[in-house]
Amino acid sequence: MVLTLREIEKAFGEKKVLKGISFTAEGGKAFGLLGRNGAGKTTTIRILMNVFSQDGGEVLLDGKPIDYNKIGFGYLPEERGLYPKQKIIDQLVYFAELKGMSRKDAVKSVDFWLDRLGMSEHRNKKLETLSKGNQQKIQLITALAHDPDIVILDEPFSGLDPVNAMLLKDVVKETIAKGKIVLFSSHQMNYIEEFCDSIAILNGGQIVLTGDLREIKHNYPRNRLDIRSEQGEKIAAEYGDACTVGENGELSLLLSDPAEKAKVMQHLAETYEIDGVCVHEPSLNDIFVEYTEKQI
């Protein structure tokens, strides 16, 4: 499957929220939709899910207008929306039935996911009796129980402890491996880097950067070396203003010419006790800040 949003526009009154949004997400891969608060991410997601219509542009699946009667969506919203005083099994089955499952299939699927997420013992409890992290896992089941084609995860790791975060990682990887289209929206850049092949960064209702994440990183100037050494002070003294020291003691050496990197690396290895030296690659956090620091 290939999902394409092409030139999507949306305005609320006089305020134009989306100004020609275009990106493509593929089945079997995760796509990261990024942006600061108010950039247009939620509006884009709602149009994608047919919650409301766009003013211009189109949503395509495999090159054809998406048929919402045939394509299933699973959505984990940032603002959780389950019923705290209702039994967990009752509301999970109810939501699965709303997505077209028979009651028998809904119960079977919900029980599978309760077991998969280590929540079977809470099956007949009220949601309000669970911790925030466990409530998050119950909410996730509403997005997956009906076996959707497209899964949208908005801040999926919020509130999870490291153990539950690892469990959710496994579930996400399994979902991607099944060929689903998985779309992430998050401010936790480390998770986006871990899962997403491609990204789109929104700023002021416009796509300011999109493409394969590895290619985006590789296309940055490769004129900086990251150096780990117990002799950092001596290295910094040799290179002066071109060398800066980070909070963790790692050195960053700016080269006047990227072609010099092999020569400089050899010199460092021969002259100092080097624990590690590599060409600096910007983090997704660095890239995000660069493209969104000034809001459009």
Side-chain angles (χ1 to χ4, degrees):
M1 293 187 296
V2 179
L3 174 70
T4 303
L5 273 68
R6 182 179 297 165
E7 296 296 327
I8 299 294
E9 297 182 353
K10 184 67 181 179
F12 296 102
E14 297 296 319
K15 183 175 177 60
K16 198 165 186 179
V17 179
L18 299 180
K19 307 168 185 177
I21 298 297
S22 298
F23 64 79
T24 297
E26 299 180 27
K29 297 181 179 180
F31 184 91
L33 183 63
L34 311 176
R36 293 174 63 178
N37 294 332
K41 301 188 303 296
T42 301
T43 300
T44 301
I45 289 171
R46 288 175 177 171
I47 289 173
L48 171 58
M49 295 179 61
N50 202 33
V51 175
F52 48 62
S53 60
Q54 65 271 28
D55 298 329
E58 53 189 348
V59 180
L60 306 173
L61 189 66
D62 293 333
K64 300 177 182 178
I66 191 168
D67 187 341
Y68 288 99
N69 294 316
K70 296 181 179 179
I71 299 300
F73 281 82
Y75 180 42
L76 176 68
E78 180 178 7
E79 298 296 330
R80 315 313 180 200
L82 296 181
Y83 301 101
K85 297 187 180 298
Q86 297 297 317
K87 283 173 56 175
I88 289 168
I89 183 63
D90 290 344
Q91 54 183 316
L92 288 178
V93 169
Y94 170 70
F95 282 116
E97 288 181 299
L98 285 180
K99 295 296 179 67
M101 299 188 82
S102 69
R103 183 168 186 82
K104 179 180 178 181
D105 288 342
V107 171
K108 182 178 179 181
S109 180
V110 166
D111 278 333
F112 166 82
W113 281 108
L114 286 170
D115 179 66
R116 178 68 182 85
L117 295 174
M119 299 297 293
S120 294
E121 65 183 283
H122 304 292
R123 184 181 191 272
N124 294 304
K125 295 180 181 179
K126 292 182 179 180
L127 186 71
E128 64 183 359
T129 65
L130 272 57
S131 67
K132 182 179 178 181
N134 282 337
Q135 289 187 31
Q136 172 83 329
K137 291 197 285 184
I138 296 300
Q139 182 87 54
L140 177 65
I141 293 174
T142 68
L144 299 175
H146 58 289
D147 193 28
D149 305 289
I150 300 171
V151 179
I152 301 171
L153 304 173
D154 196 349
E155 296 294 355
F157 295 96
S158 176
L160 295 182
D161 60 51
V163 174
N164 279 325
M166 286 181 63
L167 178 59
L168 179 54
K169 285 181 184 181
D170 289 341
V171 169
V172 171
K173 290 175 182 176
E174 291 166 9
T175 303
I176 294 170
K178 291 177 182 177
K180 313 286 188 183
I181 294 173
V182 178
L183 194 150
F184 273 92
S185 179
S186 179
H187 291 123
Q188 296 175 287
M189 299 299 160
N190 56 315
Y191 290 120
I192 298 294
E193 286 199 85
E194 182 172 352
F195 288 109
C196 294
D197 297 278
S198 300
I199 62 165
I201 297 178
L202 277 165
N203 191 352
Q206 302 176 44
I207 298 286
V208 292
L209 180 69
T210 188
D212 182 276
L213 182 53
R214 286 173 296 182
E215 291 182 5
I216 289 171
K217 287 185 173 185
H218 190 75
N219 286 335
Y220 267 69
R222 305 179 69 78
N223 61 345
R224 189 179 294 275
L225 297 179
D226 292 332
I227 306 163
R228 288 183 292 108
S229 173
E230 294 295 326
Q231 296 180 297
E233 291 184 3
K234 292 183 178 180
I235 297 172
E238 177 180 348
Y239 288 97
D241 292 341
C243 192
T244 56
V245 183
E247 294 181 0
N248 60 357
E250 188 173 87
L251 302 176
S252 178
L253 177 59
L254 181 64
L255 305 176
S256 58
D257 183 354
E260 294 180 349
K261 58 179 176 284
K263 180 180 178 181
V264 173
M265 292 169 77
Q266 181 178 356
H267 168 72
L268 290 168
E270 292 175 348
T271 309
Y272 303 100
E273 294 180 9
I274 299 297
D275 296 321
V277 58
C278 63
V279 177
H280 174 77
E281 185 176 82
S283 67
L284 180 55
N285 190 73
D286 295 333
I287 296 169
F288 179 84
V289 169
E290 177 183 343
Y291 280 88
T292 63
E293 190 170 16
K294 294 182 180 180
Q295 287 187 298
I296 298 175

